[in-house]
Amino acid sequence: MKKIALLIFSILLISITTTAQELTCADFKIGQFYIPETKEMAKYTIVSNDSISEYTPERDSIIKKYIVIREENTQIEWINEIGSGNPEYEKIEWIDDCTYRLTYDSSKYELDEGKKWINENNGIIVSKIKIEHNCLFYTATITTNEGKKISQDGIICKN
């Protein structure tokens, strides 16, 4: 009887430890994710020379989240749900396991002036702040050709 109880306890312990594994940056390279629209995403920090300022543009209240379908070196973003509106196609260049450069893929669709400007300024560098539960907290930074740094904090979560 003690052997059966010990066996059941061992199986339970193994199943708990295997399902409670911590996510790593590698878990965010391929798959389907969502980026919730948050207050943090509404604020940009701008560092220029010796000054720091913040900018909060008006956000579209229709947007609740972004759906991201990511392969290792590409991703497609949809607003609110897959198939709604026009997707954005992006290229990913991995710098290390937790940092990548994001640019817009002009071969997939015509870029607006903002996306062209991002590409002309070497894209957006996305780097991990921390991982909690099923979400990766990040900072996205663009350094302009003039040396100005514009950054935004965000969250991407695994479905």
Side-chain angles (χ1 to χ4, degrees):
M1 188 66 161
K2 287 182 183 180
K3 288 182 181 181
I4 293 174
L6 184 59
L7 179 63
I8 291 172
F9 177 74
S10 297
I11 291 171
L12 282 173
L13 186 61
I14 290 169
S15 68
I16 288 171
T17 57
T18 57
T19 59
Q21 290 178 354
E22 294 292 320
L23 294 178
T24 66
C25 293
D27 294 307
F28 292 89
K29 285 188 174 184
I30 297 173
Q32 184 172 326
F33 309 92
Y34 67 94
I35 300 172
E37 181 72 8
T38 65
K39 290 179 185 176
E40 293 84 12
M41 286 185 63
K43 182 176 73 175
Y44 294 86
T45 301
I46 303 165
V47 178
S48 179
N49 298 324
D50 292 332
S51 69
I52 299 175
S53 60
E54 289 184 353
Y55 172 65
T56 306
E58 190 171 324
R59 305 290 280 197
D60 188 339
S61 62
I62 294 173
I63 300 172
K64 303 299 179 207
K65 64 182 175 180
Y66 297 87
I67 305 298
V68 176
I69 299 173
R70 183 178 287 170
E71 296 298 325
E72 192 159 336
N73 296 312
T74 62
Q75 73 180 32
I76 303 170
E77 281 187 35
W78 299 88
I79 294 176
N80 294 328
E81 64 183 272
I82 295 173
S84 68
N86 297 318
E88 293 184 350
Y89 297 90
E90 299 150 344
K91 297 178 185 178
I92 298 171
E93 174 192 341
W94 290 96
I95 297 168
D96 61 39
D97 283 344
C98 296
T99 308
Y100 59 90
R101 178 184 317 275
L102 187 77
T103 55
Y104 293 94
D105 191 345
S106 62
S107 72
K108 302 279 186 181
Y109 69 123
E110 189 165 339
L111 306 182
D112 63 26
E113 291 304 312
K115 290 174 182 54
K116 286 179 187 176
W117 181 82
I118 288 170
N119 284 358
E120 290 165 2
N121 284 276
N122 300 310
I124 302 166
I125 301 295
V126 180
S127 54
K128 174 191 125 182
I129 297 172
K130 64 182 176 179
I131 297 174
E132 284 184 0
H133 308 293
N134 67 325
C135 297
L136 182 141
F137 293 72
Y138 63 85
T139 297
T141 304
I142 183 167
T143 302
T144 69
N145 294 330
E146 295 80 33
K148 185 186 297 185
K149 288 189 178 194
I150 304 166
S151 62
Q152 173 191 44
D153 290 338
I155 305 166
I156 185 168
C157 301
K158 194 167 182 67
N159 278 343

